[in-house]
Amino acid sequence: MSTSTAAEVGTLRLATAGSVDDGKSTLVGRLLHDSKSVLADQLESISRTGTPDLALLTDGLRAEREQGITIDVAYRYFATPRRRFILADTPGHVQYTRNMVTGASTAELTVILVDARDGVVEQTRRHAAIAALLRVPHVVLAVNKMDLVGYEESVFAAITEEFAAYARELGVSAVTAIPISALAGDNVVEPSANMDWYGGPTVLEHLETVPVSAEPSGTPARFPVQYVIRHGESRYYAGQLVSGTLRVGDAVTVHPSGRTTTIVGLDVLGTEAVEAHAGASFTVRLADELDVARGDLIAPADDRAPVVTRDVTAAVCHLADQPLVVGQRVLVRHTTRTVRAVVRSLDGADTLGVNDLGRVVLRTAEPVVVDDYAAIRRTGAFLVVDPVEGTTLTAGMVVLPG
């Protein structure tokens, strides 16, 4: 028996980004409206003056969010006959940069909007940097409001060239640029009759067809232990496989102890399995009686081992209003393990403020088992938490020496 990942059943997780008034709400509204994903009562509520105001489909959520009524990211779920979508809608203001980090952290694709009249601005660069920081696999540059620049190909080409050059500096190679008018519906769901010079896909067509995978092929298995279940003389280790594939008979190492053994059983929802894939939750039985505890990590016993360390270097986005300070004592929550740590350095600075991007070096009280975020997102990511109040301070992405 094997299990399926979300990617295999056709779900795409995406996030939208863009500066204030770049038309992000209208684009999301147009996607929902033209893909027939709007309920009749919703359509009626935004059509009271005649023409539907598509931005209202998401602005209502945004107003609640900015008043602190809802969480920091609004999620929309919709589907077409070809694919299901989970869309994270985040605000465009600079002070909500941390929200984009939250929305994009699990995204397989990010749509970055640019106003065709303004071109690439500072917030565009910031959003591109976050997409690069989080290693979002696919980036769409949606050059919006083409109707306000006469649908000129030269405007689109200039913006695309400038963004592509900056993206290359960041190491982002997969950028798909699409000229659109979210308000008029050009190239969002239906091809535009006003830009015959453009021969690429519409936004929806690209979203429906872009190849997505939960992880690159050949990614090694990572199984953080959540619970140890004792049943008679047997021990079962429960958790979720965050990457790769585990099979009965595999030689594995339990980290951080470094003890090696063999998998003798996999139990998925009470049924014995011969293998399990990333995303599945199950229990593992090992051939030897080892001292395995919550927070340990089971991985292949080969040269694809994770790194066991007490010195963690990471790219970070600071999320809290209170600054992060060199010398500060914090908690690090990484997979199923929480350890005490101290901030050793902040890339030459003394503090890191809210929405700041930077680099941090942490010294943990106990060894943590990490991968480079660029290789495995789940075991390369962590949160820095205030040990007294329990609030999240910083989101971190592990950077291992090249």
Side-chain angles (χ1 to χ4, degrees):
M1 174 181 175
S2 64
T3 57
S4 298
T5 67
E8 291 170 341
V9 297
T11 300
L12 173 68
R13 299 182 69 100
L14 68 149
T16 55
S19 300
V20 178
D21 297 329
D22 276 355
K24 189 158 51 64
S25 296
T26 304
L27 172 62
V28 174
R30 174 64 66 185
L31 272 173
L32 297 174
H33 178 271
D34 289 5
S35 62
K36 307 295 188 293
S37 302
V38 182
L39 298 176
D41 59 336
Q42 291 178 303
L43 186 60
E44 182 181 356
S45 69
I46 64 171
S47 306
R48 289 171 182 162
T49 60
T51 303
D53 185 348
L54 299 176
L56 293 178
L57 285 172
T58 55
D59 279 350
L61 287 173
R62 177 169 297 109
E64 290 182 351
R65 179 178 55 221
E66 292 176 0
Q67 292 172 44
I69 296 174
T70 57
I71 59 175
D72 57 358
V73 178
Y75 289 93
R76 281 282 187 175
Y77 306 86
F78 67 103
T80 68
R82 305 175 75 177
R83 180 170 273 176
R84 293 192 294 272
F85 302 94
I86 302 174
L87 188 154
D89 178 29
T90 60
H93 303 73
V94 174
Q95 63 267 37
Y96 291 110
T97 298
R98 55 185 173 179
N99 299 46
M100 188 203 164
V101 173
T102 302
S105 61
T106 58
E108 296 148 327
L109 181 147
T110 294
V111 180
I112 299 178
L113 268 83
V114 170
D115 187 323
R117 298 169 301 176
D118 301 329
V120 175
V121 298
E122 184 57 33
Q123 192 67 340
T124 311
R125 295 176 182 274
R126 179 176 284 263
H127 287 155
I130 292 172
L133 183 71
L134 295 173
R135 298 293 195 275
V136 179
H138 302 278
V139 174
V140 172
L141 173 68
V143 181
N144 192 25
K145 304 187 182 182
M146 288 296 296
D147 53 315
L148 299 183
V149 295
Y151 296 106
E152 286 291 337
E153 181 180 8
S154 59
V155 174
F156 173 71
I159 294 172
T160 300
E161 183 177 350
E162 181 178 358
F163 184 87
Y166 184 64
R168 282 195 295 272
E169 293 178 13
L170 297 170
V172 179
S173 57
V175 177
T176 300
I178 304 176
I180 68 170
S181 170
L183 185 63
D186 294 288
N187 288 335
V188 177
V189 173
E190 301 295 336
S192 173
N194 299 304
M195 291 178 276
D196 55 4
W197 46 264
Y198 174 71
T202 66
V203 173
L204 182 61
E205 182 180 358
H206 182 68
L207 298 182
E208 288 181 324
T209 58
V210 64
V212 294
S213 173
E215 59 187 21
S217 175
T219 302
R222 298 290 186 259
F223 185 80
V225 175
Q226 288 183 311
Y227 301 103
V228 178
I229 303 170
R230 295 175 176 81
H231 183 70
E233 298 297 321
S234 300
R235 284 189 170 193
Y236 300 79
Y237 306 108
Q240 182 186 50
L241 187 64
V242 300
S243 69
T245 300
L246 284 180
R247 298 178 179 84
V248 173
D250 282 353
V252 294
T253 299
V254 179
H255 298 278
S257 70
R259 299 291 300 274
T260 296
T261 183
T262 303
I263 294 177
V264 295
L266 299 173
D267 297 277
V268 183
L269 299 176
T271 303
E272 290 194 6
V274 296
E275 65 178 21
H277 303 286
S281 297
F282 52 90
T283 60
V284 174
R285 286 179 289 124
L286 302 176
D288 300 292
E289 292 186 10
L290 303 180
D291 182 15
V292 181
R294 173 183 170 86
D296 289 350
L297 187 139
I298 297 174
D302 55 23
D303 58 358
R304 298 174 297 169
V307 171
V308 181
T309 182
R310 290 181 58 201
D311 295 301
V312 180
T313 300
V316 297
C317 178
H318 190 58
L319 310 175
D321 292 329
Q322 64 185 94
L324 192 68
V325 181
V326 173
Q328 185 173 349
R329 296 187 182 281
V330 297
L331 294 178
V332 171
R333 288 183 178 164
H334 173 257
T335 63
T336 55
R337 175 179 288 247
T338 299
V339 299
R340 292 180 289 111
V342 62
V343 180
R344 294 191 64 181
S345 71
L346 291 170
D347 203 16
D350 294 328
T351 65
L352 202 64
V354 61
N355 295 309
D356 282 349
L357 305 177
R359 181 170 292 221
V360 66
V361 177
L362 299 166
R363 176 74 168 175
T364 60
E366 304 168 35
V368 291
V369 187
V370 301
D371 287 287
D372 193 293
Y373 182 83
I376 305 179
R377 294 172 82 177
R378 290 287 298 275
T379 48
F382 63 88
L383 293 175
V384 176
V385 176
D386 185 306
V388 177
E389 299 181 356
T391 54
T392 299
L393 300 174
T394 308
M397 283 64 71
V398 175
V399 179
L400 295 179

